[in-house]
């Protein structure tokens, strides 16, 4: 059985004080939740404070991105080992906003994922098609290409520290969620791809999150699909009550 994993991606939001207020609520209210793993991805400037506040809880602190080199002349970047040093245990790589606005490619996402694993952290590798690609019937081909690049050079041992997040770009921040059936179709395809790459037994253990306008009202229907193992939540992770409701919806019934 895969333990669902629900991660709040706060994007470019929240001061240190606001971040601490939110995680304090989460820590107090999610302390007793069983059967679901939880993480939050604050901005880098708040990450260390958040990780400190979460010490002694099972809520993981995640980076939203990293550079693929560990150190050096890379002004403005942060590396996986330094995120680990600041208290992160996971790093999101290949988010569609990184691909769209900051030049991330499937190849660089793969380098980042390998750097994350080399730093002994878990990598959440994001994939997902644009609306035009879905309309052109290219969804599965796009996802295949992003998986091939994002997981390049990763073996079955590395796969144990990988989570895939399927986030259709047209559903991110738009209020327009994929239907559970639309999401499940892609998740099943991703699992088959993983089985082909790593073997069925390993593929069965890899969690595949759904992301894109997940909210309390649609979380349970999405996460009751067979191959949907949690969620990567943007907007609805900024309020404790909404995020907690989504976490609770992910518990296996
Ligand atoms: P959203 O964002 O929940 O606001 O759609 C999801 C994401 O970008 O990870």
């Amino acid at each position: 059985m895969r333990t669902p994993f629900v991660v709040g991606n706060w994007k470019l939001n929240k001061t240190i004080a606001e971040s601490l207020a939110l995680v304090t609520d989460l820590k107090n209210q999610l302390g007793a939740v069983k059967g679901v793993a939880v993480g939050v991805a604050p901005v880098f400037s708040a990450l260390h404070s958040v990780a400190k506040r979460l010490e002694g809880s099972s809520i993981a602190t995640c980076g939203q991105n990293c550079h693929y080199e560990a150190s050096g002349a890379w002004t403005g970047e942060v590396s996986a080992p330094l995120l680990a040093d600041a208290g992160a245990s996971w790093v999101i790589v290949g988010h569609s906003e990184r691909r769209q606005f900051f030049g991330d490619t499937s190849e660089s996402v793969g380098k980042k994922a390998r750097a994350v694993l080399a730093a002994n952290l878990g990598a959440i590798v994001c994939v997902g098609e644009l609306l035009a690609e879905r309309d052109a019937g290219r969804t599965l081909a796009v996802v295949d290409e992003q998986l091939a690049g994002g997981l390049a050079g990763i073996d079955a041992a590395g796969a144990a520290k990988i989570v895939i997040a399927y986030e259709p770009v047209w559903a991110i921040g738009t209020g327009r969620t994929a239907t559970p059936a639309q999401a499940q179709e892609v998740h099943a395809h991703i699992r088959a791809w993983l089985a082909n790459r790593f073997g069925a037994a390993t593929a069965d253990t890899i969690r595949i999150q759904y992301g894109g306008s997940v909210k309390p009202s649609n979380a349970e229907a999405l996460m009751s699909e067979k191959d949907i193992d949690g969620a990567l939540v943007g907007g609805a992770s900024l309020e404790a009550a909404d995020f907690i409701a989504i976490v609770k919806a992910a518990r296996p019934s």
Side-chain angles (χ1 to χ4, degrees), residues 9 11 95 97 167 171-174 211-214 232-236:
N9 171 15
K11 309 192 180 187
H95 189 279
E97 286 149 19
E167 300 203 301
I172 294 178
T174 58
S213 298
V214 175
L232 186 54
V233 186

Side-chain angles (χ1 to χ4, degrees), residues 15-91:
T15 62
I16 294 174
E18 290 163 350
S19 300
L20 290 177
L22 177 51
V23 285
T24 302
D25 277 353
L26 298 181
K27 189 173 170 177
N28 291 339
Q29 294 181 57
L30 289 174
V33 169
K34 298 252 180 299
V36 45
V38 181
V40 293
V43 293
F44 291 143
S45 50
L47 191 142
H48 183 59
S49 308
V50 164
K52 278 268 173 220
R53 181 63 56 93
L54 287 174
E55 272 174 7
S57 88
S58 59
I59 302 173
T61 306
C62 313
Q64 296 179 12
N65 175 46
C66 69
H67 189 53
Y68 46 77
E69 295 291 347
S71 63
W74 303 101
T75 302
E77 293 294 317
V78 67
S79 67
L82 294 185
L83 288 172
D85 180 53
S89 45
W90 291 87
V91 184

